[in-house]
């Protein structure tokens, strides 16, 4: 008998896999950028009761006021000051600034050469001297007491559009003042002092300097003078 051939295996067709449909990503909605509202115009009421309107932050300031120089340098905005008065001695970073006069005599020609966009003064006698130069003038008197300093720092923070830096300076000022007052809490009476503003002019009780001595419990010998 013939041998029976073994049956050959039959190959099965490979199973065909159906590809999963790829999901089309849904585009995220585009959100338009939010515009930061401009803080300007900024309006300041000067010491004559007049409005001074700033449409933008001044970039070239002639500061005939030591306090303004200190405020702006403390805020990191000292590069806005292009000149100051003849007697400025602080802060050290400002001592090399050009000088354009004093409360007694303002060098108008030098101011015009510097082409500032703001002149700031704290004494009334300088207002007339600079108001005819065609440059905006801000006349703000020195506060009568130490507690008025933070308000002026806040004002300048708004003028130069840096309220955050102004807030930090105010916080540091308040902290240091609180520390000083704490140290003086047990002091009954401080020493007698004479404050020489210059050429034997002195500060009475109703001045910023007089208030500072009262705060320090020092006895200003000019307190009884008018």
């Amino acid at each position: 008998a013939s041998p029976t051939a073994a049956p050959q295996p039959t190959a099965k067709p490979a199973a065909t896999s159906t590809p999963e449909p790829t999901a089309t990503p849904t585009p995220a909605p585009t959100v338009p950028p939010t515009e930061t509202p401009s803080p300007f115009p900024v309006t300041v009421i000067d010491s004559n009761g007049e409005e001074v309107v700033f449409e933008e932050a001044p970039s070239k300031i002639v500061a005939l006021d030591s306090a303004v120089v200190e405020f702006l340098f403390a805020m990191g905005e000292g590069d806005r000051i292009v000149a100051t008065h003849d007697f400025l001695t602080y802060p050290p970073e400002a001592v090399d600034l050009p000088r354009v006069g004093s409360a007694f005599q303002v060098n108008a020609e030098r101011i015009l050469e510097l082409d500032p966009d703001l002149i700031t003064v704290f004494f009334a006698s300088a207002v007339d001297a600079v108001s005819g130069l065609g440059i905006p003038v801000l006349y703000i008197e020195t506060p009568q007491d130490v507690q008025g300093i933070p308000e002026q720092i806040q004002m300048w923070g708004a003028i130069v559009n840096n309220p955050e830096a102004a807030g930090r300076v105010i916080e540091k000022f308040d902290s240091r003042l609180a520390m000083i007052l704490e140290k003086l809490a047990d002091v009954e009476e401080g020493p007698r002092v004479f404050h020489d503003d210059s050429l034997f002019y002195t500060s009475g009780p109703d001045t910023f300097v007089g208030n500072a001595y009262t705060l320090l419990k020092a006895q200003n010998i000019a307190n009884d003078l008018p």
Side-chain angles (χ1 to χ4, degrees):
S2 299
T4 303
Q8 296 299 312
T10 302
K12 295 182 179 180
T16 302
S17 59
T18 303
E20 294 291 332
T22 303
T24 303
T26 303
T30 302
V31 179
T34 303
E35 293 187 4
T36 303
S38 170
F40 293 95
V42 171
T43 301
V44 175
I45 306 299
D46 72 7
S47 293
N48 281 330
E50 299 177 0
E51 288 189 353
V52 180
V53 180
F54 294 88
E55 299 293 343
E56 60 183 1
S59 59
K60 298 175 67 177
I61 302 172
V62 169
L64 299 176
D65 184 344
S66 298
V68 173
V69 177
E70 291 189 38
F71 295 160
L72 293 182
F73 271 93
M75 283 189 272
E77 299 285 351
D79 58 345
R80 296 179 184 272
I81 301 176
V82 295
T84 185
H85 61 85
D86 292 348
F87 304 109
L88 185 101
T89 59
Y90 187 86
E93 309 95 283
V95 296
D96 292 329
L97 285 170
R99 308 302 173 104
V100 292
S102 66
F104 307 105
Q105 185 174 7
V106 177
N107 188 335
E109 291 182 0
R110 180 65 176 126
I111 291 175
L112 289 172
E113 289 174 1
L114 294 166
D115 191 29
D117 49 16
L118 178 67
I119 303 171
T120 177
V121 299
F122 73 97
F123 42 90
S125 60
V127 176
D128 291 339
V130 297
S131 60
L133 300 180
I135 301 166
V137 177
L138 180 61
Y139 165 43
I140 299 291
E141 292 180 345
T142 302
Q144 291 296 100
D145 53 43
V146 174
Q147 285 77 10
I149 291 294
E151 182 179 350
Q152 288 202 4
I153 296 173
Q154 186 177 43
M155 178 193 73
W156 279 102
I159 290 173
V160 301
N161 193 22
N162 198 345
E164 295 82 6
R168 290 192 293 271
V169 175
I170 291 171
E171 184 178 358
K172 183 177 180 180
F173 175 86
D174 288 342
S175 175
R176 294 180 67 181
L177 180 59
M179 179 186 67
I180 291 170
L181 296 180
E182 182 180 359
K183 290 181 178 295
L184 291 171
D186 296 330
V187 175
E188 293 295 331
E189 187 175 276
R192 288 169 54 80
V193 296
F194 168 73
H195 184 93
D196 182 12
D197 284 322
S198 68
L199 303 175
F200 292 102
Y201 281 93
T202 191
S203 298
D206 298 326
T207 63
F208 179 83
V209 171
N211 173 260
Y213 282 126
T214 299
L215 198 69
L216 295 172
K217 300 185 179 180
Q219 308 306 302
N220 181 4
I221 65 171
N223 268 354
D224 295 331
L225 298 178

